[in-house]
Amino acid sequence: AQSVAQPEDQVNVAEGNPLTVKCTYSVSGNPYLFWYVQYPNRGLQFLLKYITGDNLVKGSYGFEAEFNKSQTSFHLKKPSALVSDSALYFCAVRDRNSGYALNFGKGTSLLVTP
Amino acid sequence: SAVISQKPSRDICQRGTSLTIQCQVDSQVTMMFWYRQQPGQSLTLIATANQGSEATYESGFVIDKFPISRPNLTFSTLTVSNMSPEDSSIYLCSVVSGLAGGSGANVLTFGAGSRLTVL
């Protein structure tokens, strides 16, 4: 079975400060890991993914994520937050042996204040 | 990546009625997925809809409640039958771009969702 945990319901950060949104995962094999963002009244937008190789993955809008196999984590980061980054962020995992559907975490609401 | 259109974008329905949600993709895709996002919750996979075969439902979801059609490689519908207030959710269609043979690393693309409120 595969699962994703996002331990924080909400993350608050001041504009210009670095942000981290946490994600840990559990899969039976090697994972594919994804981050999506959901703005109000809009669908999910893909940010980045980890497949293999370099543990630091760079994605859209200046976001990056670090894959840590020993800690089974895939935290989302951005060096300098913008107010427009305020949204709901979902971490998702796909076991390489279990098809194409994604298993999502419960989401973390990011609030960036001016 | 594929562009997905969902209809309706939102609706208010009466208890006991049924509503069909349409998902139109601008390119042919083999796999389509239907997800539910209940208020304040994460996304839960309802079923996988593959053209030419019966949909595959996840645990807790049954065909009588959520019948799915997949008549061709660019279109699918999800019906929410005999609705109750507990069915109030956002229903999202998603696809893996392209036809079969793609990598499991492929990204899922999502429609904007259909927000249903059941009174």
Side-chain angles (χ1 to χ4, degrees), chain B residues 2-20:
Chain B
V3 176
I4 301 172
S5 300
Q6 274 189 246
K7 292 181 183 179
S9 58
R10 58 178 62 226
D11 207 340
I12 299 174
C13 307
Q14 297 299 316
R15 181 194 299 261
T17 63
S18 299
L19 183 77
T20 296

Side-chain angles (χ1 to χ4, degrees), chain A residues 37-108:
Chain A
V37 59
Q38 185 178 38
Y39 297 99
N41 300 314
R42 295 175 65 178
L44 272 72
Q45 297 180 29
F46 167 74
L47 278 179
L48 50 80
K49 66 180 179 181
Y50 171 80
I51 305 303
T52 187
D54 194 345
N55 289 341
L56 185 63
V57 178
K58 295 187 182 297
S60 305
Y61 312 120
F63 284 93
E64 58 189 29
E66 185 168 10
F67 172 67
N68 187 317
K69 187 173 183 178
S70 64
Q71 297 184 5
T72 61
S73 67
F74 190 55
H75 300 332
L76 181 70
K77 300 180 179 182
K78 187 173 183 180
S80 179
L82 300 173
V83 172
S84 57
D85 292 330
S86 298
L88 190 57
Y89 290 80
F90 290 97
C91 182
V93 66
R94 175 191 289 145
D95 187 319
R96 293 170 191 243
N97 300 316
S98 65
Y100 290 86
L102 292 177
N103 193 339
F104 285 85
K106 65 180 176 64
T108 299

Side-chain angles (χ1 to χ4, degrees), chain B residues 49-68:
Chain B
N50 295 326
Q51 194 268 340
S53 63
E54 292 285 332
T56 303
Y57 289 84
E58 297 299 306
S59 176
F61 297 95
V62 295
I63 187 171
D64 290 345
K65 176 67 175 178
F66 297 101
I68 288 171

Side-chain angles (χ1 to χ4, degrees), chain B residues 4 6 17-18 25 27 35-38 49-50 53-54 57 65-66 79 97 101 107 114 119:
Chain B
I4 301 172
Q6 274 189 246
T17 63
S18 299
V25 189
S27 58
Y35 282 85
R36 181 176 73 181
Q37 185 179 16
Q38 293 178 300
N50 295 326
S53 63
E54 292 285 332
Y57 289 84
K65 176 67 175 178
F66 297 101
T79 298
S97 293
V107 172
S114 299
L119 303 177

